[in-house]
Structure formats: structure tokens, C-alpha cells
Amino acid sequence: MGVEFGDFAVGEDDVLAAEDDAERAEVLAPLGLAPSPHPSGLGAYIAADPTGLTPVPGVWVAGNLADPNANVLGSAASGSTAAGAINADLIAEDIRHAVQAHNDPFSPGSEARVCEKVMGDRRHGLDPIVGQSTG
């Protein structure tokens, strides 16, 4: 006697079995990521580095998508590793933007700040109260 829950089935030996990982990995196909057969012959996986970063920048995988042989604890650990890598990537991106803004004296933001300091509430040489040229 066994029990079946959607894609999962518990058999007479109390073994939990799930569908092929390739079907779950198909959700990443629109991003250009296709599952590959795992070398162990057990399921499919999405190729990624040790942090879960795939060949598509900004896309990480974890758990059974990264390794179909991973158990629950291994999957949780890979998810934690991927989360740390994602956080580090976001911080690095923020730093790149801040450095770029600092090094680019002619950005729209820096120009607005300089105009505010120099012109105050006047814009384009017009006095806001009278509406006439000041210079």
C-alpha cells in the first residue's frame, strides 16, 4: 500500500520518490539555461559554480537544481551559500555605482547638486520672483 501526493509518491517501503529534476529546471529555459544530465545518471542539473552562479549573470541555482543528489541539508546549505553570493554581488554592484557616480563629475545628479549650490532657487539665470534675467 502506498500514498501518492501529486508528483511525490510514498511506496510500500516508505520511500519518498520525486519526478525528474529536468522538468523543474525547464522553468529556467527562458533565461537561456537548459538542464544537463547529471554525471551520476540520477536526474538533471543546471551548471553552476560552487556558489550556484550560472553562466547567465545574475542567476543562481541551489538545491536539487544544482545537484540532483543533494539531500535536504545539502540543499539548504547550497541555498545559504547562494544567498551569501547574491548578497555579495548586490553589494559589489552598489559599490560600482557609487564609485562611478563619485568619479563622474558630469552626471545628472552631480550637475543638479552643483546647480543647486550655485544658483539656489534660480534656474537658467532667471530670478524666480521677478521672472527677469539676472545676468
Side-chain angles (χ1 to χ4, degrees), residues 42-101:
L42 298 173
Y45 74 108
I46 301 292
D49 74 4
T51 68
L53 180 62
T54 67
V56 176
V59 179
W60 279 261
V61 293
N64 294 107
L65 284 179
D67 179 5
N69 295 326
N71 60 25
V72 173
L73 293 177
S75 293
S78 73
S80 177
T81 299
I86 291 167
N87 187 54
D89 187 64
L90 292 171
I91 290 169
E93 184 176 352
D94 285 347
I95 291 170
R96 281 191 300 275
H97 287 293
V99 168
Q100 181 180 3

Side-chain angles (χ1 to χ4, degrees), residues 101-102 104-105 107-120:
H102 177 77
D104 185 6
S107 70
S110 64
E111 186 172 348
R113 286 189 299 277
V114 169
C115 286
E116 185 67 32
K117 286 180 181 177
V118 173
M119 301 296 290

Side-chain angles (χ1 to χ4, degrees), residues 16-30:
L16 184 64
E19 68 178 294
D20 186 2
D21 297 316
E23 289 183 26
R24 286 187 296 236
E26 290 299 324
V27 72
L28 299 174

